[in-house]
Amino acid sequence: MAGRMSGTERRAQVLTIAAKEFAEHGLHGASTEAIAREAGITQAYIFRMFGTKKALFLELVESAFAAVSEGMREAGDGKSGLDALSAMGGRYFDQLADRTGLLLQLQGFAACGDPEVRDAVRACFARMWDTTEDGTGLEPVSVKAFLAFGMLLNAGAAMDVEQVDARWADGVRTRIQAGLFAHVTNETNR
């Protein structure tokens, strides 16, 4: 029959639609009814595919975090120290352009009041930490500083600071060079 999607195609379609819905409205505000309507399927079909609304949300949040961690790992591959950190930072900055992925990560943090979500987001953040630490060989305080700046970049991207003409927004937009982290070590952090 022409026009029918395979189960794999339908699943991919629903994930794309749901990603936008959850990115905009979060776990509790997103509507499976709206997702089903846009996909041209029933809510029951969504639940057959994913089990629960939370399971669908978690799959999307975990995928968004994994894309960032994997991108950073690829960028730093074959490098170490500040060279790896610089490559990872460049990739991280570039990935901020994926507004849906960015907002899914932030919605994951926002939903951490739910223990199951909190555990999943912790695991995602642990992977990002390990990717940075293992990929650079840098000390924990350097990894912490790098990821802290990343969180500021996330907040800036979420606020769309590229559209704000103000001194504070210029500061948030400032591109961070790896050399900034050269002095951030356990020794200098005593």
Side-chain angles (χ1 to χ4, degrees), residues 63-107:
S63 178
F65 272 100
V68 172
S69 291
E70 186 58 25
M72 288 171 47
R73 188 198 59 73
E74 288 173 4
D77 196 33
K79 300 172 182 68
S80 64
L82 295 179
D83 288 339
L85 196 69
S86 180
M88 288 178 176
R91 179 69 61 91
Y92 191 89
F93 188 83
D94 292 344
Q95 287 179 304
L96 292 174
D98 174 9
R99 187 161 180 78
T100 298
L102 164 73
L103 292 176
L104 282 168
Q105 290 177 67
L106 295 175
Q107 293 289 5

Side-chain angles (χ1 to χ4, degrees), residues 93-158:
F93 188 83
D94 292 344
Q95 287 179 304
L96 292 174
D98 174 9
R99 187 161 180 78
T100 298
L102 164 73
L103 292 176
L104 282 168
Q105 290 177 67
L106 295 175
Q107 293 289 5
F109 286 121
C112 277
D114 178 298
E116 188 179 355
V117 173
R118 183 176 52 242
D119 288 347
V121 172
R122 282 177 179 167
C124 290
F125 197 82
R127 180 178 179 200
M128 192 177 297
W129 180 281
D130 292 344
T131 297
T132 306
E133 187 173 49
D134 296 345
T136 64
L138 295 173
E139 300 172 354
V141 69
S142 301
V143 173
K144 180 179 180 177
F146 174 74
L147 293 177
F149 276 107
M151 292 298 110
L152 176 60
L153 292 175
N154 285 357

Side-chain angles (χ1 to χ4, degrees), residues 3-188:
R4 284 186 55 97
M5 286 188 194
S6 71
T8 302
E9 291 168 329
R10 178 66 75 189
R11 190 175 204 290
Q13 177 204 30
V14 171
L15 285 170
T16 299
I17 293 167
K20 292 177 187 157
E21 178 72 13
F22 282 113
E24 291 178 20
H25 303 290
L27 172 58
H28 300 295
S31 165
T32 54
E33 182 180 333
I35 296 165
R37 186 173 44 253
E38 188 172 337
I41 60 175
T42 65
Q43 282 187 57
Y45 190 50
I46 290 175
F47 294 125
R48 277 197 305 275
M49 280 192 286
F50 298 98
T52 65
K53 179 179 174 182
K54 189 192 315 183
L56 173 56
F57 175 75
L58 287 174
E59 183 170 332
L60 291 163
V61 167
E62 289 167 348
S63 178
F65 272 100
V68 172
S69 291
E70 186 58 25
M72 288 171 47
R73 188 198 59 73
E74 288 173 4
D77 196 33
K79 300 172 182 68
S80 64
L82 295 179
D83 288 339
L85 196 69
S86 180
M88 288 178 176
R91 179 69 61 91
Y92 191 89
F93 188 83
D94 292 344
Q95 287 179 304
L96 292 174
D98 174 9
R99 187 161 180 78
T100 298
L102 164 73
L103 292 176
L104 282 168
Q105 290 177 67
L106 295 175
Q107 293 289 5
F109 286 121
C112 277
D114 178 298
E116 188 179 355
V117 173
R118 183 176 52 242
D119 288 347
V121 172
R122 282 177 179 167
C124 290
F125 197 82
R127 180 178 179 200
M128 192 177 297
W129 180 281
D130 292 344
T131 297
T132 306
E133 187 173 49
D134 296 345
T136 64
L138 295 173
E139 300 172 354
V141 69
S142 301
V143 173
K144 180 179 180 177
F146 174 74
L147 293 177
F149 276 107
M151 292 298 110
L152 176 60
L153 292 175
N154 285 357
M159 292 184 290
D160 208 6
V161 294
E162 292 298 324
Q163 306 303 314
V164 177
D165 183 20
R167 198 167 62 82
W168 70 267
D170 290 341
V172 172
R173 284 190 295 266
T174 301
R175 187 107 185 213
I176 298 161
Q177 302 300 323
L180 175 70
F181 299 100
H183 73 282
V184 182
T185 65
N186 286 343
E187 188 59 36
T188 61

